[in-house]
Amino acid sequence: MTPILGESLEDNVRHQISGMIETDSQKRFKTNHPKLTPKQLIKKMRSKGIEFKLISEKDARDRISFNTYYFKVGVYRYNFDKGEDNKYVDLDFAYLDDLAIIDMRLRKILLNMSLDLEHSLKTLLNSVITKNRDEDGYQIVQDFSQKYKFDLNEIYDQYRKNLHYLKPIKDKHSDCTSVWVLLELMSFGDLAKFLEFYYERATILKKKFSYPAKLIRYAKNVRNAAAHNNPILVNLRGRNISPDPKIIQESSKIGLKAELYRNPRINDLLCLFFLHNMYCSQGVKDHLIDELKIFRERCKKNPHYYQKNSHLLDIYEGLNLLIDYYENK
């Protein structure tokens, strides 16, 4: 029997060939979403109901040509409603541009918060493991690698492009890696796994790791979005989840509406703020408060843009309540 095309080929070869064959769905998508020049993008935005009263078309073209790009700005249109004609209602390009700037500043704050939290939790782990007489600092690394089934050399290999920074560490520690070296090299995602792992293992000061073990996976989502420059202030309505009881409790204290803290993205933000407040030093928190005050003032720059958007007003009120909570803790 003659084999059909690709039947006798290795899986990876078949995958490469299938990837070269354009499907009908892909063809339709390309037809409906062609590459457009800035001038064409402006025309497309107008067809969707986006206006250019506060920013001229020329200035908008310059913005998406030299300062940012359409996909980065246009994504914020999902925060606005459409009318019966399927066009956006009361949406000027200036609103999108303003939200993109606010979101960019928020991402920088959130990334710094993530780095603060990562350092503080690694410091705590080092301290507690050092105090634990049941840990020699090496067996825990072997147990962790076996549980998650990864080769410890991968910890070094993931930095191979920057190996000139890590070569002394790799040369000395790769054959017998200690927990203090592992913590120094592991990513935020690996740290989240390690915290969950160590909470189950801990024999002393176990309570210190209760909240990080449960909430770090959500804070990780914020860290990844901020680090990859993904928009934060979109998709902030609907999609109810059941947050951790501690998040519900703290959200109620803050005064957040249930429809906000039950949104996945808001829940992620709350977890990051809560853990940062609990585990970072007072000096670090004071610096964050200064940044949050500056950020809040920037949010007030164009309040008239959003007077008719109850959803964004709720988000702004929620951020204000969260900042107030953090400043007063």
Side-chain angles (χ1 to χ4, degrees):
M1 180 176 177
T2 304
I4 62 173
L5 176 63
E7 189 176 81
S8 61
L9 299 177
E10 295 291 339
D11 288 345
N12 63 332
V13 177
R14 286 202 302 271
H15 177 73
Q16 290 176 13
I17 292 175
S18 64
M20 297 167 60
I21 302 173
E22 189 173 67
T23 66
D24 290 339
S25 176
Q26 290 172 326
K27 290 177 180 178
R28 286 194 299 270
F29 190 89
K30 287 183 177 181
T31 300
N32 294 332
H33 301 84
K35 182 178 70 172
L36 300 176
T37 66
K39 187 175 181 178
Q40 291 170 327
L41 285 170
I42 298 296
K43 183 178 180 180
K44 181 179 180 180
M45 281 187 271
R46 277 202 175 279
S47 72
K48 291 179 177 290
I50 299 173
E51 300 178 327
F52 296 86
K53 295 178 180 178
L54 300 175
I55 292 182
S56 69
E57 290 191 7
K58 179 184 182 305
D59 289 340
R61 285 199 302 272
D62 289 344
R63 290 288 296 164
I64 61 177
S65 297
F66 306 113
N67 300 103
T68 184
Y69 46 94
Y70 171 71
F71 198 86
K72 180 65 72 178
V73 177
V75 69
Y76 299 101
R77 70 185 185 276
Y78 295 116
N79 289 317
F80 296 84
D81 295 323
K82 289 183 176 181
E84 294 181 358
D85 59 357
N86 203 35
K87 293 184 178 182
Y88 289 101
V89 178
D90 190 36
L91 175 54
D92 194 281
F93 180 84
Y95 304 174
L96 302 178
D97 192 52
D98 190 57
L99 281 173
I101 294 171
I102 290 173
D103 201 1
M104 177 268 292
R105 296 194 178 196
L106 177 61
R107 288 195 301 271
K108 288 183 178 180
I109 292 174
L110 296 175
L111 182 56
N112 285 335
M113 289 179 69
S114 302
L115 293 172
D116 293 340
L117 179 61
E118 180 180 4
H119 174 76
S120 297
L121 289 175
K122 286 182 176 181
T123 299
L124 176 62
L125 282 164
N126 263 303
S127 176
V128 172
I129 293 172
T130 299
K131 293 175 182 177
N132 191 342
R133 295 180 180 179
D134 296 330
E135 300 285 3
D136 67 358
Y138 291 90
Q139 186 59 45
I140 189 174
V141 176
Q142 296 300 320
D143 294 344
F144 177 64
S145 66
Q146 289 176 14
K147 178 171 182 176
Y148 288 97
K149 296 179 174 57
F150 70 86
D151 184 344
L152 284 173
N153 284 324
E154 292 177 5
I155 292 290
Y156 297 95
D157 290 343
Q158 66 182 328
Y159 296 102
R160 60 184 177 275
K161 290 183 179 179
N162 295 320
L163 190 58
H164 51 286
Y165 290 106
L166 295 173
K167 190 175 186 305
I169 297 177
K170 177 178 171 62
D171 290 346
K172 183 174 181 179
H173 297 282
S174 59
D175 289 338
C176 190
T177 303
S178 64
V179 69
W180 46 92
V181 171
L182 180 70
L183 289 171
E184 180 67 18
L185 298 178
M186 65 172 42
S187 66
F188 199 100
D190 290 333
L191 174 63
K193 293 178 183 177
F194 190 85
L195 283 162
E196 295 172 0
F197 160 80
Y198 188 70
Y199 179 63
E200 296 177 1
R201 180 189 183 95
T203 56
I204 65 170
L205 302 174
K206 190 180 183 77
K207 288 185 178 180
K208 283 185 174 290
F209 300 98
S210 173
Y211 290 124
K214 292 187 291 185
L215 304 181
I216 191 67
R217 66 180 70 180
Y218 304 109
K220 180 191 71 173
N221 295 337
V222 182
R223 181 266 171 204
N224 289 346
H228 293 98
N229 218 21
N230 301 141
I232 302 292
L233 298 176
V234 292
N235 297 330
L236 295 176
R237 52 182 163 186
R239 297 178 60 208
N240 285 347
I241 62 168
S242 298
D244 184 87
K246 183 63 176 178
I247 294 301
I248 295 177
Q249 179 186 25
E250 293 300 315
S251 297
S252 298
K253 288 181 183 178
I254 296 170
L256 286 179
K257 297 178 180 179
E259 57 264 33
L260 282 182
Y261 67 72
R262 291 187 181 279
N263 177 275
R265 290 191 178 219
I266 297 294
N267 175 70
D268 293 345
L269 289 173
L270 289 169
C271 289
L272 177 59
F273 270 82
F274 175 67
L275 291 174
H276 191 279
N277 180 66
M278 177 173 277
Y279 291 96
C280 292
S281 68
Q282 190 58 51
V284 168
K285 290 188 284 190
D286 288 343
H287 179 71
L288 174 61
I289 289 171
D290 291 339
E291 289 187 319
L292 290 173
K293 288 179 178 178
I294 295 172
F295 172 73
R296 174 155 44 190
E297 289 304 309
R298 174 58 184 82
C299 290
K300 296 177 182 178
K301 183 177 180 180
N302 298 302
H304 53 291
Y305 285 3
Y306 314 109
Q307 288 177 350
K308 297 180 181 180
N309 191 317
S310 59
H311 167 60
L312 285 177
L313 290 177
D314 284 344
I315 297 300
Y316 176 70
E317 180 186 4
L319 285 172
N320 260 326
L321 291 170
L322 184 57
I323 293 172
D324 287 341
Y325 160 83
Y326 194 93
E327 290 179 356
N328 296 324
K329 284 295 278 186

